[in-house]
Amino acid sequence: MKAIVAHAAKDLRLEERDSPAPGPGQVRIKMAAGGICGSDLHYYNHGGFGPVRLKEPMILGHEVAGVIESAGDGVDLTPGQLVAVSPSRPCGSCAYCLEGAQNHCLHMRFYGSAMPFPHIQGAFREMMVAEANQCVPADGLTAGEAAMAEPLAVVLHAASQAGDLMGKRVLVTGCGPIGLLAVLVARAAGAAEIVATDITDFTLAKARAVGADLTHNVAQTPDALAGYGTDKGHFDVLFECTGVAPVVASTIPALRPRATMVQLGLGGDMTLPVQAMTAKELILKGSFRFHAEFATGVRLMQSGRLDVTPLITHTLPLDQMQAAFDLASDRSQALKVQIAFG
C-alpha cells in the first residue's frame, strides 16, 4: 500500500508500506478520506512545532475515515461499513486512564505524532489495521464528514472545559477549522452571541456562514476588540484557537470578570498579562485532545445537529498530496483540505 511520509520540512514522499492482516479484536480498513490538520502542516512546513521535531520518517495523518475490508475474531463491525477512526489509543491501565482522563494517558499512541521516539506512525495510508474499539460506525455520513470527527472531538472537549454555554457571550479567536467548529458547537449549545476574529476575509465569511453573529478582521482593524472593554468587559467565554501571544493578550480587556478562557491553539510558549487576568479573576483552562467526545461527535453529525460540510473546502486525490498540503497551508482560500484515498 502507499502512505504519505514526512522526512523533513518540505520533504513529503509517497512510499510503499506493508499492510498486515487484522488480528483478534482488529479490523483492516480501506481508507477513504483523510483531513490535513494543523499539526500535519507544522511537520510539512517546519519539520515540527516547538520542541517536537521529526527525528525519523513518519507517516502523517490522524483525521481519517474508511471502509471495513475484513475483521479479526471477536469484532462486530461489518465488511463494507464506513467508520470514523479515532487516532487516540490510550493504554487504559495507567493512573490517568483509570481516573477517566484518557487524553492524558502516560502511554498514549496517537497517530502521526513525533512527540515520542520512535514516532507514532500516522493514518495517511491506503490500508490500515486498527483496533475495533477505535472505530465508530458512521452510517449515513459521507467519508469526508466522518473524517471530521477528530477535529470536532477536539472542540467538544474544549466546550466541556468551558462549561454551560447557554445564553453566554462567546469570543472565538482564529477561524481555521478548529475555530469554525468552535462557532458551530457554541451555536448548537445555545450561546446568545458569538463574535469571531481572524486575519482573512475568507475565513471570516465562513465564520458568519456557520453561525457567528459578528466578525472582525484584526489585520485590517487591530483594535477591533477595544470596543468590548466597557464596564470591565463583554464576553463570558473565550475559545482561543491561534496560540499567538499578542492575540491572547488582546482578548483580556474584552473578557468579563470571572470569564473562562479555553486555550486550544498550540503556538509555543507565550507571555501573558497575568496581573490583568488576576485582577479580573479570569479562569484559564487548557484543552488537549479528547476521548469519549469522538463518538459523541459522530452521533451529533449523524443526527443533523452539527453540519461540518461547509468547512470541507477541497478534496484532492492521493497522487496530488503535495498540492493538497500546499493548498491547506493557504488560509486565504482553503479551510479543511481532505485527501481522497480511493
Side-chain angles (χ1 to χ4, degrees), residues 191-313:
E193 179 185 14
I194 303 172
V195 175
T197 68
D198 202 87
I199 58 174
T200 72
D201 290 336
F202 172 74
T203 55
L204 292 170
K206 283 288 185 181
R208 292 190 296 274
V210 299
D213 297 294
L214 191 63
T215 60
H216 298 288
N217 187 321
V218 291
Q220 297 174 2
T221 311
D223 61 348
L225 293 180
Y228 296 99
T230 304
D231 296 331
K232 290 194 175 184
H234 182 80
F235 297 102
D236 304 292
V237 174
L238 165 68
F239 289 109
E240 206 300 298
C241 305
T242 70
V244 177
V247 173
V248 183
S250 73
T251 67
I252 305 304
L255 299 177
R256 300 181 72 244
R258 300 183 180 179
T260 297
M261 307 169 63
V262 182
Q263 184 65 41
L264 290 96
L266 296 172
D269 288 339
M270 62 179 74
T271 300
L272 298 178
V274 174
Q275 287 295 99
M277 294 167 64
T278 301
K280 281 193 169 185
E281 299 183 330
L282 299 181
I283 301 165
L284 174 61
K285 291 188 174 185
S287 185
F288 185 64
R289 293 180 177 164
F290 54 84
H291 184 62
E293 295 91 351
F294 188 87
T296 301
V298 173
R299 290 194 296 269
L300 288 172
M301 289 188 288
Q302 288 174 314
S303 70
R305 289 185 60 190
L306 292 177
D307 179 12
V308 300
T309 55
L311 278 65
I312 305 171
T313 54

Side-chain angles (χ1 to χ4, degrees), residues 6-341:
H7 285 252
K10 299 296 185 179
D11 185 359
L12 202 62
R13 307 179 195 179
L14 194 60
E15 297 182 350
E16 293 290 335
R17 288 288 189 273
D18 291 335
S19 180
Q26 295 181 328
V27 291
R28 178 178 160 102
I29 302 165
K30 183 177 182 180
M31 207 56 65
I36 299 173
C37 173
S39 63
D40 297 318
L41 292 176
H42 279 298
Y43 292 128
Y44 170 64
N45 288 310
H46 311 294
F49 51 94
V52 179
R53 316 304 300 178
L54 285 170
K55 298 182 179 66
E56 64 178 346
M58 184 178 78
I59 300 174
L60 295 180
H62 57 266
E63 301 179 6
V64 294
V67 175
I68 301 293
E69 185 187 66
S70 60
D73 293 339
V75 175
D76 291 333
L77 297 168
T78 304
Q81 187 172 28
L82 177 68
V83 293
V85 185
S86 175
S88 179
R89 295 174 291 163
C91 71
S93 59
C94 73
Y96 293 108
C97 284
L98 292 176
E99 67 182 44
Q102 292 93 338
N103 59 316
H104 295 291
C105 173
L106 293 172
H107 311 292
M108 175 64 75
R109 296 162 297 149
F110 197 96
Y111 287 142
S113 174
M115 289 183 180
F117 184 85
H119 300 334
I120 308 299
Q121 298 297 310
F124 281 175
R125 49 181 106 187
E126 290 180 304
M127 304 293 298
M128 184 173 69
V129 169
E131 300 297 324
N133 61 15
Q134 292 174 247
C135 302
V136 179
D139 307 83
L141 299 179
T142 66
E145 289 173 306
M148 289 291 290
E150 194 276 344
L152 178 55
V154 168
V155 174
L156 291 173
H157 182 71
S160 72
Q161 297 289 77
D164 184 11
L165 296 176
M166 182 66 68
K168 300 293 179 62
R169 295 169 174 170
V170 174
L171 174 63
V172 178
T173 50
C175 290
I178 295 296
L180 293 176
L181 286 168
V183 172
L184 269 176
V185 169
R187 178 58 69 213
E193 179 185 14
I194 303 172
V195 175
T197 68
D198 202 87
I199 58 174
T200 72
D201 290 336
F202 172 74
T203 55
L204 292 170
K206 283 288 185 181
R208 292 190 296 274
V210 299
D213 297 294
L214 191 63
T215 60
H216 298 288
N217 187 321
V218 291
Q220 297 174 2
T221 311
D223 61 348
L225 293 180
Y228 296 99
T230 304
D231 296 331
K232 290 194 175 184
H234 182 80
F235 297 102
D236 304 292
V237 174
L238 165 68
F239 289 109
E240 206 300 298
C241 305
T242 70
V244 177
V247 173
V248 183
S250 73
T251 67
I252 305 304
L255 299 177
R256 300 181 72 244
R258 300 183 180 179
T260 297
M261 307 169 63
V262 182
Q263 184 65 41
L264 290 96
L266 296 172
D269 288 339
M270 62 179 74
T271 300
L272 298 178
V274 174
Q275 287 295 99
M277 294 167 64
T278 301
K280 281 193 169 185
E281 299 183 330
L282 299 181
I283 301 165
L284 174 61
K285 291 188 174 185
S287 185
F288 185 64
R289 293 180 177 164
F290 54 84
H291 184 62
E293 295 91 351
F294 188 87
T296 301
V298 173
R299 290 194 296 269
L300 288 172
M301 289 188 288
Q302 288 174 314
S303 70
R305 289 185 60 190
L306 292 177
D307 179 12
V308 300
T309 55
L311 278 65
I312 305 171
T313 54
H314 300 81
T315 302
L316 278 71
L318 180 60
D319 61 5
Q320 294 182 30
M321 63 171 189
Q322 190 83 40
F325 272 77
D326 289 336
L327 184 60
S329 301
D330 185 356
R331 282 287 176 258
S332 69
Q333 60 174 320
L335 282 166
K336 182 56 65 180
V337 177
Q338 293 185 336
I339 294 172
F341 284 86

